[in-house]
Amino acid sequence: MNQVYPEPTVGALILNNQNKILLVKSHKWINNKYSVPGGHVEIGESLSSAIIREVKEETGLDILPKRLFMIQECIKPDEFYKSKHFIFFDFICVSKNDTITLDKNELQEYVWSNIEDINEEQLESFTRNLIKKFRNDHDFNGTKIYHIK
């Protein structure tokens, strides 16, 4: 019998130089809700290397992970197209550029949104948790949250 283990995955809450957040849509989330770019961690790969690779593959963006922000357990979610057990390692990242080239096999749409304009009802539940925590943990008084170096 094959033992099945949880799959470590990374997600990127990406801010551009205008402090807008990148949201994406993937056919893998069945309710046509927004999520964040990300994916699996390969054997021998660090989490930060995985998030850089996944974002580049899915969006064409070069990013700088600033910090691991949130860990979420995701056990067989109804919203996902197949029964899986994930452990999400969500990073706050900044983009080094704004030009998006979607991998159409993974992502179908994207939008850059101001935090105050994001409607949580349009997010899949794990991205909703991420956005709520980000809103609660940061001061949005018009100043830059992260500066790109």
Side-chain angles (χ1 to χ4, degrees):
M1 181 169 121
N2 287 345
Q3 180 66 39
V4 178
Y5 297 95
E7 182 178 347
T9 58
V10 289
L13 193 157
I14 302 169
L15 294 150
N16 67 10
N17 61 5
Q18 299 169 343
N19 278 337
K20 290 187 176 185
I21 294 171
L22 179 64
L23 298 173
V24 296
K25 285 189 179 180
S26 170
H27 65 278
K28 293 178 182 179
W29 293 97
I30 60 174
N31 293 328
N32 198 34
K33 304 261 180 149
Y34 283 102
S35 64
V36 293
H40 71 280
V41 179
E42 295 180 355
I43 299 294
E45 185 177 41
S46 70
L47 295 174
S48 59
S49 293
I51 196 61
I52 291 167
R53 175 186 53 75
E54 282 288 345
V55 168
K56 183 69 170 179
E57 289 173 1
E58 291 184 355
T59 68
L61 288 177
D62 293 312
I63 60 161
L64 176 63
K66 298 301 272 184
R67 72 179 178 108
L68 178 61
F69 182 66
M70 185 175 190
I71 298 172
Q72 300 185 71
E73 188 172 46
C74 174
I75 302 172
K76 300 179 181 179
D78 292 337
E79 302 166 88
F80 200 68
Y81 78 110
K82 62 183 174 180
S83 181
K84 297 284 279 187
H85 181 172
F86 298 109
I87 300 171
F88 294 144
F89 296 90
D90 295 318
F91 284 80
I92 295 175
C93 305
V94 293
S95 63
K96 297 179 182 179
N97 60 311
D98 282 349
T99 304
I100 303 286
T101 306
L102 291 182
D103 174 345
K104 294 292 189 171
N105 293 323
E106 293 291 327
L107 304 176
Q108 288 69 54
E109 290 181 41
Y110 76 93
V111 63
W112 288 102
S113 295
N114 290 313
I115 188 75
E116 63 272 9
D117 296 333
I118 295 173
N119 178 349
E120 291 177 5
E121 295 303 314
Q122 295 179 342
L123 307 174
E124 54 81 10
S125 63
F126 299 94
T127 299
R128 187 176 311 125
N129 295 340
L130 180 62
I131 294 296
K132 281 181 180 180
K133 180 172 173 29
F134 189 71
R135 281 180 169 147
N136 290 336
D137 288 3
H138 292 82
D139 179 10
F140 295 96
N141 61 5
T143 61
K144 287 245 187 269
I145 301 163
Y146 294 102
H147 296 282
I148 300 172
K149 299 277 183 197

